[in-house]
Amino acid sequence: MVKTIGSFLLAVITTYLLGAIFVSQGNIAAVVALGFDISFAQRLDAAVHDMLNMTDIYLPLVAISLLLGLPVAYAIVRKRPHLGLIGYTLAGFVALLAIHLIIKAVVGISGVAPTRTLMGLLCQGIAGGVGGYLFYRLTTKLQND
């Protein structure tokens, strides 16, 4: 159980870090679209800034979304073990998409600016998918040990 929780926490952290990078680069893309030049150093600085400073709002959203999505995948994968890889990866992807769409529907605003575009929303899904994949890999390794 402790190892499963550890796997979950690593999945959350990975999803958070990748999602924060996607947020910073999505925001920079909007600035570039306005005609400004952004250097690689500025992109890197923005990514590091977002990874360090989005913990108060974005990290809990990631944790809640995976906390809801991964157990659903578990319920399915328990009955169909051959679907583990796709199940957990898809669960993470859908969980991150859903949390942003639910916030938009309930509150009426996009909590993360880049999710206003399809590409930004899909990038958040990719971050969730990576987290779901990592959770699958870590928990599968635990079962085989």
Side-chain angles (χ1 to χ4, degrees):
M1 178 60 112
V2 172
K3 291 181 180 180
T4 302
I5 292 170
S7 298
F8 173 76
L9 292 175
L10 284 173
V12 168
I13 291 167
T14 300
T15 301
Y16 167 77
L17 292 174
L18 189 55
I21 291 168
F22 286 148
V23 167
S24 67
Q25 298 314 301
N27 287 334
I28 287 174
V31 171
V32 169
L34 295 172
F36 293 95
D37 290 326
I38 304 293
S39 70
F40 179 76
Q42 290 170 315
R43 287 178 179 275
L44 185 60
D45 185 49
V48 170
H49 177 272
D50 284 350
M51 286 187 288
L52 296 175
N53 292 293
M54 292 179 66
T55 56
D56 55 343
I57 295 175
Y58 184 65
L59 181 58
L61 287 177
V62 168
I64 290 167
S65 66
L66 292 181
L67 189 59
L68 295 172
L70 294 178
V72 171
Y74 173 76
I76 295 167
V77 169
R78 189 176 68 197
K79 295 178 188 211
R80 306 258 193 245
H82 64 283
L83 296 176
L85 174 63
I86 189 74
Y88 285 111
T89 303
L90 191 57
F93 183 88
V94 170
L96 260 287
L97 285 182
I99 199 79
H100 291 292
L101 294 173
I102 290 168
I103 290 171
K104 175 72 173 172
V106 172
V107 183
I109 61 169
S110 296
V112 177
T115 62
R116 293 180 193 136
T117 67
L118 180 59
M119 182 58 73
L121 189 59
L122 288 176
C123 285
Q124 291 300 301
I126 290 168
V130 169
Y133 173 79
L134 180 63
F135 181 79
Y136 166 75
R137 296 298 296 175
L138 292 172
T139 56
T140 300
K141 184 177 189 283
L142 293 174
Q143 292 170 2
N144 294 332
D145 288 343

